[in-house]
Amino acid sequence: MSFKKKLAEKLNNTLDEGELSLLPRGFQTLGKIIIIKLNSKLFDKKDIIAQAYLDLLPKMRAVYLNMGRIVGTCREPENIEYIMGEDDPIVEHKEHDVIYRFNITKIMFSKGNINERKYLATLVKNGEIIVDMFAGIGYFSLPIAKHSGVERIYSIELNPESYKFFLENIKLNHLEKIIFPIKGDCKIEVVKLSESGIRADRVIMGVFPAPKDYIREALSLVKDKGTMFHYEGVVEKDNFFPLFEEFKEITLKEGYKCELNSHRFVKSYGPHLNHVVLDNFVFKI
Ligand SMILES: C[S@@+](CC[C@H](N)C(=O)[O-])C[C@H]1O[C@@H](n2cnc3c(N)ncnc32)[C@H](O)[C@@H]1O
């Protein structure tokens, strides 16, 4: 039986037919917290709905209501509100053998990006040097450090709240010898890394809107034998070509060559829009 049906059965005596049909189909769990989205017509019933979730999922400790999107340069949740259970928004969420500790009301954790979080680590070869430009709480740096033979990851994060949890996560996962966290704007920090002689086998540019304005500085990390750039963006349907062209144009202007190694779908981002990643290999001409 689908979860929505179970929920509807549980609330059969408290909600009317119309309300039952508006119940959400899915939900997200982060650690032991359930996050739901509700049709606004059900807002005044949120308490009894939250109680039904807790009854059906007894291992969970609280229910929060997500009423917004992920916004701004720091990619923060707009409006996540406590409804019921233990009112503590800090979770330890385990995924792919990695623990992510963070505050769910202040920091995003997209369930749609799960495959990409797992997949990147499988591409990394032994001894690689990686720069993760938009590290967040360690979305990519932690699984790569845990599951690949990477030598070192320089991980840059601007938002103090994310950076604080990132430092905790490095410790929680015992990855202090592999991950070198840097607090700051990656546009400036990658140039500093480059000036100190660091070159990367792989650069992760995992944020969107596509970080076009950061490409020129990121190119300062290119190795003589070439560097792979994982460049994220949102495209119309599967038309990733303009996204590749914008990256390629800048690399050519800066005196590099760029080849599209592969590209993949991450998640749907609204009608006709998809979140994708391009694997762009860049080398000196
Ligand atoms: C939320 S992550 C992207 C999520 C990730 N793609 C995933 O799969 O879950 C993006 C991070 O980049 C950070 N950020 C934004 N601009 C930045 C900058 N100029 N320098 C460093 N970090 C930045 C944000 O604070 C945020 O934590």
Side-chain angles (χ1 to χ4, degrees):
M1 195 196 296
S2 72
F3 189 82
K4 181 170 174 171
K5 259 196 164 158
K6 285 186 197 166
L7 199 60
E9 263 184 18
K10 187 113 196 115
L11 294 164
N12 204 14
N13 296 329
T14 21
L15 300 187
D16 65 34
E17 276 300 310
E19 289 168 336
L20 288 172
S21 71
L22 296 176
L23 284 171
R25 234 177 283 147
F27 57 92
Q28 183 179 19
T29 57
L30 291 172
K32 288 193 175 359
I33 288 182
I34 304 163
I35 300 171
I36 59 174
K37 285 187 179 168
L38 282 183
N39 184 302
S40 56
K41 290 183 185 143
L42 293 177
F43 280 177
D44 59 342
K45 302 283 165 56
K46 65 180 189 226
D47 288 353
I48 47 172
I49 295 172
Q51 188 55 60
Y53 267 91
L54 287 175
D55 291 345
L56 289 169
L57 301 162
K59 288 192 177 144
M60 297 292 130
R61 64 168 171 83
V63 182
Y64 282 70
L65 177 63
N66 184 358
M67 292 186 293
R69 296 164 304 140
I70 306 291
V71 291
T73 17
C74 288
R75 310 295 303 137
E76 289 165 304
E78 212 173 16
N79 190 358
I80 297 187
E81 176 189 285
Y82 162 80
I83 319 180
M84 184 159 287
E86 189 188 332
D87 185 8
D88 175 6
I90 295 176
V91 293
E92 282 190 11
H93 180 69
K94 201 164 179 185
E95 176 186 284
H96 197 215
D97 266 338
V98 173
I99 305 166
Y100 296 90
R101 186 176 152 82
F102 61 101
N103 182 333
I104 61 149
T105 63
K106 295 194 173 155
I107 290 167
M108 60 88 74
F109 196 91
S110 167
K111 70 175 168 186
N113 298 357
I114 182 169
N115 289 336
E116 189 62 13
R117 282 192 292 273
K118 281 188 187 174
Y119 180 69
L120 271 195
T122 68
L123 298 177
V124 176
K125 297 181 194 74
N126 289 349
E128 281 194 8
I129 302 293
I130 298 180
V131 175
D132 183 359
M133 289 177 66
F134 302 89
I137 56 166
Y139 306 101
F140 296 122
S141 295
L142 297 168
I144 289 174
K146 180 106 185 190
H147 297 295
S148 78
V150 66
E151 186 176 314
R152 186 171 286 201
I153 313 177
Y154 298 95
S155 310
I156 310 162
E157 174 55 39
L158 183 65
N159 178 359
E161 183 74 12
S162 298
Y163 187 74
K164 180 186 85 181
F165 284 109
F166 183 34
L167 295 185
E168 285 187 36
N169 289 332
I170 294 169
K171 273 198 193 141
L172 265 176
N173 291 283
H174 311 294
L175 297 169
E176 296 94 327
K177 291 200 175 121
I178 302 174
I179 300 178
F180 287 70
I182 300 166
K183 188 175 171 205
D185 182 346
C186 60
K187 201 176 170 74
I188 297 164
E189 297 302 328
V190 287
V191 176
K192 285 196 209 157
L193 284 173
S194 165
E195 283 169 359
S196 69
I198 285 153
R199 298 292 180 272
D201 296 288
R202 199 173 292 281
V203 177
I204 305 168
M205 302 180 76
V207 73
F208 63 75
K212 187 181 172 187
D213 293 344
Y214 297 76
I215 299 170
R216 204 171 70 84
E217 288 76 11
L219 291 170
S220 65
L221 297 166
V222 171
K223 273 192 165 178
D224 288 342
K225 65 172 188 176
T227 295
M228 187 66 81
F229 287 78
H230 301 291
Y231 187 65
E232 286 190 17
V234 173
V235 301
E236 271 190 46
K237 290 183 183 161
D238 54 0
N239 186 15
F240 58 87
F241 201 65
L243 187 65
F244 176 63
E245 279 300 306
E246 81 178 21
F247 190 94
K248 188 175 159 190
E249 199 182 302
I250 295 170
T251 55
L252 283 176
K253 226 188 251 169
E254 296 298 317
Y256 297 88
K257 248 189 136 173
C258 175
E259 285 170 3
L260 180 65
N261 219 267
S262 57
H263 64 94
R264 61 196 160 272
F265 167 84
V266 177
K267 64 176 181 285
S268 166
Y269 194 69
H272 311 301
L273 292 179
N274 285 328
H275 171 188
V276 298
V277 182
L278 309 182
D279 296 342
N280 297 334
F281 188 66
V282 176
F283 49 98
K284 289 188 177 134
I285 297 174

